[in-house]
Amino acid sequence: LATIVVAVDGPSGSGKSSVSRAVAQRLGLRYLDTGAMYRAVTWWMLHNQVDVHDAAAVAAAADKPELVSGTDPAGPTITVDGIDVAGPIRGAEVTGAVSAVSAVPEIRTRLVALQRAAIGAGGIVVEGRDIGTVVAPDAALKVYLTASEAARAARRNAESDDPAASVTATQADLARRDALDSGRATAPLSMPADGVLVDTTEMDRDQVVEHLLALVGTRA
Ligand code: C5P
């Protein structure tokens, strides 16, 4: 297991983060949340008044944010230019802008390089949209985690600190991001040819974790 790479891809709200963290913890592996990296770069663009819908402006600034991702699954961290952005990257402003920023090829080139450096010799669970297809195509196990849109929206709402958030609005936002993430030209969200599809619509979190641990057992 010391050098295994487990890739976990899938749409928004499929439970990738909590499941990937739990699997990493159970196996003593590191954990990398690549969505947090796209979110942190998006936060930086907003914070520095870069128009996130101006792809050329975003591309020109792609190398500027200094990102550091901590890979301890018990407490993953993310800083940009030394600022802890773990809180603000989950806010509505970043969530609304991240798909536009992550569609810019220069941003992806930069973050994929950082992600490969973080993966290093392996021993890590990596979650995102293009891990099995682009970032780590040689990963020993590639999981594609999904669930019905309604189930994903309900889970997102249950996790949210905003008690007034409506499931309908959450579902609309998920559908919007899925369409952007699946439809973009560079590294769109898609199931890797050799990926294992796991539909979690009818599963609870612990069942998904146990299922993934069993899959790792078949590959390690
Ligand atoms: O996983 P999370 O919802 O935090 O990801 C936020 C956004 O980052 C996604 O909607 C997608 O636009 C982008 N992303 C990506 N490639 C990844 C991970 C995330 O484009 N590997």
Side-chain angles (χ1 to χ4, degrees), residues 8-13 16-17 33-39 42 89-90 94-95 97-103 108 112 115 126-131 135 156 174 177-178 180-181 184 186-189:
V8 182
D9 291 301
S12 306
K16 294 187 303 291
S17 296
D33 176 357
T34 64
M37 299 171 77
Y38 286 96
R39 288 172 178 272
T42 302
I89 62 170
R90 303 295 160 193
V94 168
T95 300
V98 64
S99 291
V101 173
S102 71
R108 304 203 69 84
V112 169
Q115 289 155 14
V126 188
E127 65 141 304
R129 301 291 188 291
D130 62 341
I131 309 308
V135 176
R156 263 290 147 91
L174 286 183
R177 278 207 289 146
D178 288 351
L180 290 170
D181 294 341
R184 70 182 174 222
T186 311
L189 169 66

Side-chain angles (χ1 to χ4, degrees), residues 8-16 143-149 151-152 155 178 189 191 196-203 208:
V8 182
D9 291 301
S12 306
S14 56
K16 294 187 303 291
V143 175
Y144 190 85
L145 215 58
T146 190
S148 73
E149 198 176 278
R152 294 187 285 116
R155 285 178 200 162
D178 288 351
L189 169 66
M191 155 120 166
V196 181
L197 179 71
V198 179
D199 184 332
T200 69
T201 306
E202 305 289 339
M203 296 166 88
V208 181

